[in-house]
Amino acid sequence: MLQELRAPFSTLAPATPQPVAPSLTLAPVTPEPVAPSPTLALATPQPVAPSPTLAPAAPEPVPPSPTPVPDIGELVTLINGYRAENGLQPLVTSPALTQAAQWMSEDMAANGYLSHTDSLGRDNLGRLAAFGYDCTAYNTWCGENLAAGTATAWETLDAWRNSAGHNDLLLNADFVALGIGCAYNGGSTYGWYWVIELGGQAP
């Protein structure tokens, strides 16, 4: 699931699940004939001591599944490599853009949404200004791409570059700085949430 912010922005639906091959159905094995047991006279039953009643054993605690670690550095490298292939300068990492992107990815993961408007009602310009990157005051370009449901840096870049609007932002020569955020919530709609903030002024 993707979203990029630049009027107009586009939204892509999540990828269609791939079909799964049906499992094989096996015919039941015909049982081999068994010779009947000989008939025995019933023995007088011996008294049996009752079994002691045991309390059920306490289940062993199961450690929680580890939260995957987002590889943000790899995505920065992949994006700059992609820009270089297209004759563009690499983007430098901006602390303010990175903080804004990370906050946004965690907000989407925690609240289960995919939108450029965050849970506080801010658009990306208002959010960036709150983190110290004021696009209006700087009079510079700003942009934002979102992705959800992609588990790796490579999948995220591949989704963005295969969408015209998202790709345009990645290959915009006016951008010189970026910040990337990623968050994971196994109980959310998409699991993974990625954000890239782009700016026309270096940090």
Side-chain angles (χ1 to χ4, degrees), residues 114-195:
L114 183 66
S115 171
H116 294 285
T117 302
D118 64 33
S119 64
L120 302 180
R122 302 175 297 189
D123 62 11
N124 77 313
L125 298 183
R127 188 166 50 256
L128 291 179
F131 282 91
Y133 197 97
D134 194 329
C135 305
T136 303
Y138 294 163
N139 191 28
T140 191
W141 287 80
C142 283
E144 177 179 81
N145 275 353
L146 308 178
T150 52
T152 66
W154 176 255
E155 289 175 311
T156 303
L157 174 61
D158 200 44
W160 282 339
R161 68 182 182 178
N162 285 304
S163 167
H166 299 86
N167 191 59
D168 287 348
L169 290 184
L170 294 178
L171 299 182
N172 188 325
D174 292 307
F175 291 132
V176 300
L178 86 166
I180 295 175
C182 181
Y184 177 80
N185 179 357
S188 65
T189 305
Y190 302 108
W192 288 94
Y193 296 83
W194 297 78
V195 178

Side-chain angles (χ1 to χ4, degrees), residues 105-113 183 185 188 193:
S105 65
E106 292 175 1
D107 191 52
M108 290 192 297
N111 294 290
Y113 72 93
N185 179 357
S188 65
Y193 296 83

